Amino acid sequence: MRLFVARGLRQYALRVVTAKVGGFLHHALFYSGDTDYVRGAEPFIRAGLAVGEPILVVVQPDKIALLRDAIGREADSIVFTSMKEIGRNPGCIISEWREFVTRNATPSRGVRGIGEPVGPQRSADELAECHQHESLLNVAFADGAPWSLLCPYDVDSLEPSVVDEARRTHPYLVEGGERSSSADFVAETADVWLSAPLAAPPSHAVQFSFDGASLHSLRGSLLRFALDAGMRERRVADLVLAVNEIASNSVAHGAGHGTLTLWTEPRSLIFDVYDEGHLDDPLAGRRRPQPHDAGGRGLWLANHLCDLTQLRRTPDGTRIRLHFSLD
């Protein structure tokens, strides 16, 4: 298989993915099974190795093993990272790509990456945030350094609706060794996902109104709720910090007050914060804060402390929903 890939598709890979003159090339790779996965990803990697481009691969551990075996010794020059670590919360992934591109890309040398955030192990809420992540990549890197990203999608294990959404969030598609522009790509998909309504809280949810004066008592309520639900103590501190950061943002930017709704699900705790502020930056919380930044730390911190973040614009304000696993 390796010889077939190297000889049969390398010409395609070099012709296509080194032809860029600048900007961000965002591809969805549709594959069926491990052999097809390697057949699609290996030429992309070898094309980058041939021109000395730094490469970061962020996929599941079993896929890392497949690619290392296919690439052989040259795999030692590639950075491999588990999506389980970087992408547990899809809201954390863009900051990792941004740092990689910033460190390695130059006007005369691009970089490339493979990232597979979408998989059959994802819940419906996680898939929605993966789609939002994919759409926001096009916003985050629209005017930046030249680089190429390949996002594999396993068509055998994913629902057709998930694959269809990939066609809308990726300007380019790779199928059967052929690259094409996506006829279904919609540049405004990020706005659609940011405005998509979230499911209503269940009937057993508990709601609190808060303002600056009540944040202290709110933290106490969070502590008791998490401990009563059986969360381990070392995670409770993360939970209280993350929700407090979001609530504090509501006080600072959401007319001085907000509403917290919290509830339990079978293996997780959910915290929904709503306020009357309006979010102008679709990438809020997806950039690592710098020392000179006036804001943005709270949501970035919450993204890295919780298991899933859902951020939505509403006609009257902003809703941020944080998920914490009890496992």
Side-chain angles (χ1 to χ4, degrees), residues 62-307:
D62 61 321
K63 300 298 177 55
I64 291 177
L66 285 173
L67 292 177
R68 279 191 173 278
D69 180 65
I71 299 300
R73 290 183 179 179
E74 290 181 284
D76 291 339
S77 64
I78 300 168
V79 179
F80 291 93
T81 304
S82 171
M83 183 60 75
K84 285 185 176 181
E85 298 176 10
I86 287 182
R88 175 179 55 90
N89 182 349
C92 298
I93 304 174
I94 283 179
S95 64
E96 297 292 336
W97 285 123
R98 183 183 293 275
E99 290 182 25
F100 177 73
V101 173
T102 300
R103 287 196 308 267
N104 294 285
T106 69
S108 60
R109 184 193 70 178
V111 302
R112 68 183 58 207
I114 298 179
E116 189 171 8
V118 175
Q121 77 282 359
R122 293 286 196 181
S123 68
D125 283 336
E126 289 172 334
L127 283 172
E129 300 318 300
C130 287
H131 292 319
Q132 186 182 94
H133 157 73
E134 294 277 38
S135 68
L136 286 172
L137 280 164
N138 302 312
V139 178
F141 298 102
D143 301 315
W147 77 289
S148 300
L149 178 62
L150 187 72
C151 303
Y153 283 75
D154 185 353
V155 297
D156 285 346
S157 65
L158 297 170
E159 293 293 331
S161 60
V162 175
V163 177
D164 289 344
E165 188 61 28
R167 297 180 184 276
R168 288 188 282 269
T169 56
H170 293 76
Y172 303 101
L173 308 177
V174 179
E175 299 179 84
E178 295 295 328
R179 175 183 182 265
S180 63
S181 296
S182 174
D184 300 313
F185 174 69
V186 180
E188 298 78 17
T189 305
D191 289 330
V192 174
W193 278 107
L194 282 168
S195 301
L198 298 175
S203 58
H204 64 269
V206 178
Q207 189 172 92
F208 299 89
S209 295
F210 62 86
D211 56 20
S214 59
L215 284 177
H216 178 74
S217 62
L218 183 69
R219 290 192 292 271
S221 298
L222 292 170
L223 178 64
R224 290 188 297 273
F225 177 76
L227 291 174
D228 289 346
M231 178 169 280
R232 290 173 292 181
E233 290 188 12
R234 67 181 180 84
R235 281 291 281 156
V236 171
D238 291 343
L239 182 156
V240 173
L241 177 57
V243 180
N244 179 70
E245 287 290 335
I246 300 303
S248 297
N249 280 349
S250 293
V251 172
H253 307 292
H257 58 87
T259 301
L260 170 66
T261 306
L262 51 87
W263 65 93
T264 61
E265 293 191 350
R267 297 305 307 161
S268 62
L269 306 181
I270 315 296
F271 302 84
D272 185 287
V273 180
Y274 177 80
D275 62 56
E276 297 174 6
H278 292 280
L279 183 70
D280 296 324
D281 181 7
L283 296 170
R286 297 175 190 258
R287 304 184 187 91
R288 182 182 294 274
Q290 301 301 310
H292 60 272
D293 290 343
R297 291 175 174 80
L299 186 53
W300 187 88
L301 183 62
N303 275 339
H304 286 77
L305 290 175
C306 70
D307 295 291

Side-chain angles (χ1 to χ4, degrees), residues 16-28:
V16 171
V17 298
T18 64
K20 65 180 185 297
V21 295
F24 176 46
L25 295 181
H26 189 196
H27 310 77

